[in-house]
Amino acid sequence: MLNWITKRFLKPTPQKRSYQGATMGRLFASWQTHNGTADVDIKASISVLRARARELSRNNDYVKKFISMVGKNVVGANGITLQVRAKDDKGTLDTIANNQIEESFYQWGKKGNCDVTGRYSWRDIQKLIIQTVAQDGEVLVRLLFDRKKGLQLQLIEADMLDENFNDLQKNISMGIEYNDLGRVIAYHVYKYHPSSLQSSVLGNTRERISADEIIHGFI
């Protein structure tokens, strides 16, 4: 009798493996479920988001303070400096060589040496980079070599990267060129800023810059 009751009324209900977050119904009707790629989502919004972030950094006291604090707290008063700990053949610190290298780096970091425009010091560049990433979400830094001054840095605004340039055959997406494995091999950068007078008068062209010459900092 007990077996009959168990089979008749206590038959186990088949269970289906699922996630509650994927539940469909009235309460979730307005929840978007778009599964686009990151590039597709970014391309649709990047210009507006960047423009709004810049407007806030100019006119909103809270955002202005945040950008300022990023520069002060991340870079600091002296910036990120070089500290060499090279050792000699005996395994002890080579103080003379270390001091010479650090002094050379200090001289390179002075205003007029490390920046192609001659306007910024090494600390200024660091501050600009971290504040630009906090504001725009990304920044490009080009590595250039001068015969007399050696390595020089060129800061490039994210606007200069042609985000509308796509070429499926060359594996170029939003101005960035990849190899077959997804490794970045080049950046396609405007010669002039798209909103500049030079661009409107002289026309704008793109330059293909090898990824070896570019540091792309982004969130």
Side-chain angles (χ1 to χ4, degrees):
M1 184 67 177
L2 182 60
N3 290 336
W4 181 84
I5 294 175
T6 301
K7 292 180 181 180
R8 180 69 177 82
F9 297 103
L10 302 180
K11 184 183 296 183
T13 303
Q15 299 294 317
K16 181 172 64 176
R17 295 175 63 89
S18 63
Y19 291 95
Q20 291 184 350
T23 302
M24 304 301 292
R26 177 178 57 84
L27 297 177
F28 303 99
S30 60
W31 195 338
Q32 296 184 7
T33 56
H34 171 65
N35 285 323
T37 65
D39 280 353
V40 171
D41 293 337
I42 291 171
K43 184 178 180 181
S45 309
I46 189 169
S47 296
V48 175
L49 286 174
R50 188 183 297 144
R52 289 176 177 174
R54 290 175 178 176
E55 192 277 332
L56 286 173
S57 67
R58 290 191 298 266
N59 301 311
N60 184 285
D61 290 337
Y62 292 103
V63 178
K64 288 169 64 176
K65 182 65 174 179
F66 165 72
I67 298 296
S68 175
M69 290 176 64
V70 168
K72 290 181 180 179
N73 296 327
V74 176
V75 175
N78 299 318
I80 301 170
T81 59
L82 178 66
Q83 191 174 53
V84 185
R85 288 292 181 265
K87 297 181 180 180
D88 57 22
D89 295 338
K90 298 179 181 180
T92 58
L93 289 176
D94 192 339
T95 305
I96 296 177
N98 292 339
N99 290 340
Q100 289 178 342
I101 296 172
E102 290 176 6
E103 176 61 23
S104 296
F105 184 83
Y106 173 77
Q107 294 299 328
W108 171 81
K110 286 185 176 181
K111 185 178 295 185
N113 292 335
C114 58
D115 165 47
V116 292
T117 67
R119 291 179 292 183
Y120 304 115
S121 66
W122 170 231
R123 180 191 177 277
D124 294 333
I125 290 177
Q126 294 175 67
K127 187 176 180 180
L128 279 171
I129 289 174
I130 195 64
Q131 289 182 328
T132 301
V133 172
Q135 174 187 269
D136 294 353
E138 61 181 326
V139 67
L140 301 175
V141 183
R142 188 174 186 181
L143 309 177
L144 298 172
F145 291 90
D146 182 88
R147 290 185 178 180
K148 295 182 178 180
K149 296 184 178 181
L151 174 65
Q152 291 192 303
L153 306 178
Q154 179 187 16
L155 299 184
I156 302 174
E157 289 186 76
D159 310 64
M160 299 287 284
L161 184 63
D162 188 359
E163 61 203 33
N164 294 312
F165 180 39
N166 301 282
D167 190 326
L168 296 179
Q169 293 183 345
K170 296 181 179 180
N171 208 9
I172 300 173
S173 176
M174 297 180 65
I176 302 178
E177 186 175 341
Y178 303 85
N179 65 12
D180 293 336
L181 299 177
R183 185 184 183 92
V184 178
I185 58 175
Y187 292 84
H188 294 262
V189 179
Y190 283 122
K191 183 177 181 179
Y192 306 112
H193 192 283
S195 301
S196 67
L197 181 61
Q198 295 95 324
S199 176
S200 59
V201 175
L202 303 175
N204 221 346
T205 57
R206 286 187 303 268
E207 178 183 3
R208 184 185 184 276
I209 304 176
S210 173
D212 295 337
E213 299 180 29
I214 294 289
I215 298 174
H216 187 193
F218 61 91
I219 299 176

